[in-house]
Amino acid sequence: SQTIHQWPATLVQPVGSPLSLECTVEGTSNPNLYWYRQAAGRGLQLLFYSVGIGQISSEVPQNLSASRPQDRQFILSSKKLLLSDSGFYLCAWIPPAGSGTQYFGPGTRLLVL
Amino acid sequence: GESVGLHLPTLSVQEGDNSIINCAYSNSASDYFIWYKQESGKGPQFIIDIRSNMDKRQGQRVTVLLNKTVKHLSLQIAATQPGDSAVYFCAENHLWNTGFQKLVFGTGTRLLVSP
């Protein structure tokens, strides 16, 4: 069966510090991968998606970047965090020939102070 | 632009009642719809899906109804339990011609179940 992992689960970082959040998927190959951000009490905002290694598309201009160094690894990064980067970050995946259902990881809660 | 929205931000029900959560979508070309449940501090969890060639699909205690004429989607939960308390999101699927699949999510409805 397939599983998706995210770490860390929670993170408190000072403004201006770097960020690296990791997402890995097990039990599948060549998935579509997604990063979302969710503000408290709000919906999901798509940040990045990837259809393959090294292929990253950005949905909104922001202080963040994403990379996919391996088939089942998706990383969200920032060189200098802003207060507005606080939120709940979710990674999701779809099988390459899947029906369209996205399966989400447990999320990382980021607080920038 | 394309959007998926919800009629009610919060729904409060008594344990044992049936719950109905509504969703409106705007893209008539969408061919796949999904309902997710998100508990506090957790990632969204798949509940049930429906394709545009169907108007009803049933799962365990849940039913999704799709009305393409008015672009309306609903989630019905039978005999609602306290464990059903969560935020529920609808999402529509846009399958791009490159094979890339992108979901458009609604803003969510919070379901509160009182014992």
Side-chain angles (χ1 to χ4, degrees), chain A residues 32-34 36 38 41-44 46 49-51 59 88 90 94-107 109, chain B residues 31-32 34 36 38-46 49 51 87 89 93 96 98-108 110:
Chain A
N32 289 342
L33 296 173
Y34 305 79
Y36 290 88
Q38 186 177 34
R42 305 294 293 274
L44 297 162
L46 179 62
Y49 61 88
S50 171
V51 299
E59 279 290 290
F88 192 44
L90 289 156
I94 294 179
S99 61
T101 301
Q102 287 187 14
Y103 298 95
F104 287 84
R109 187 162 302 282
Chain B
D31 57 2
Y32 181 61
I34 308 165
Y36 288 91
Q38 186 178 24
E39 297 175 278
S40 180
K42 298 183 179 180
Q45 180 183 16
F46 170 84
D49 58 2
R51 295 203 171 276
V87 176
F89 292 96
N93 183 280
W96 295 34
T98 60
F100 170 69
Q101 301 184 53
K102 174 182 174 181
L103 290 181
V104 176
F105 285 87
T107 55
R110 183 175 300 280

Side-chain angles (χ1 to χ4, degrees), chain B:
Chain B
E2 301 160 353
S3 66
V4 178
L6 297 179
H7 293 273
L8 298 173
T10 303
L11 176 64
S12 296
V13 300
Q14 294 288 321
E15 182 178 1
D17 288 350
N18 295 331
S19 301
I20 300 177
I21 300 172
N22 296 302
C23 178
Y25 65 94
S26 59
N27 188 349
S28 57
S30 293
D31 57 2
Y32 181 61
F33 303 87
I34 308 165
W35 280 101
Y36 288 91
K37 172 186 179 183
Q38 186 178 24
E39 297 175 278
S40 180
K42 298 183 179 180
Q45 180 183 16
F46 170 84
I47 301 174
I48 192 168
D49 58 2
I50 189 168
R51 295 203 171 276
S52 58
N53 60 355
M54 304 170 65
D55 53 21
K56 180 179 180 179
R57 190 171 187 206
Q58 289 184 292
Q60 186 177 13
R61 284 200 306 118
V62 295
T63 300
V64 55
L65 299 177
L66 175 63
N67 186 330
K68 294 181 288 294
T69 301
V70 296
K71 297 180 201 170
H72 184 268
L73 192 68
S74 69
L75 177 70
Q76 300 179 1
I77 304 174
T80 312
Q81 303 169 359
D84 294 327
S85 293
V87 176
Y88 290 81
F89 292 96
C90 65
E92 60 176 316
N93 183 280
H94 295 249
L95 180 58
W96 295 34
N97 56 13
T98 60
F100 170 69
Q101 301 184 53
K102 174 182 174 181
L103 290 181
V104 176
F105 285 87
T107 55
T109 293
R110 183 175 300 280
L111 177 65
L112 299 176
V113 183
S114 303

Side-chain angles (χ1 to χ4, degrees), chain A residues 3-90:
Chain A
T3 55
I4 180 169
H5 303 278
Q6 286 186 245
W7 65 89
T10 59
L11 191 59
V12 180
Q13 291 285 95
V15 169
S17 64
L19 174 73
S20 182
L21 303 181
E22 188 164 346
C23 170
T24 58
V25 182
E26 295 179 356
T28 188
S29 296
N30 197 29
N32 289 342
L33 296 173
Y34 305 79
W35 276 113
Y36 290 88
R37 176 168 58 204
Q38 186 177 34
R42 305 294 293 274
L44 297 162
Q45 180 188 31
L46 179 62
L47 302 176
F48 300 95
Y49 61 88
S50 171
V51 299
I53 296 174
Q55 300 178 63
I56 308 295
S57 296
S58 175
E59 279 290 290
V60 294
Q62 58 205 313
N63 185 43
L64 302 169
S65 61
S67 62
R68 186 168 176 177
Q70 300 181 46
D71 181 45
R72 290 169 291 176
Q73 184 184 32
F74 205 21
I75 297 173
L76 185 68
S77 303
S78 174
K79 293 182 178 179
K80 290 185 178 181
L81 284 169
L82 306 172
L83 288 174
S84 58
D85 292 323
S86 294
F88 192 44
Y89 288 83
L90 289 156

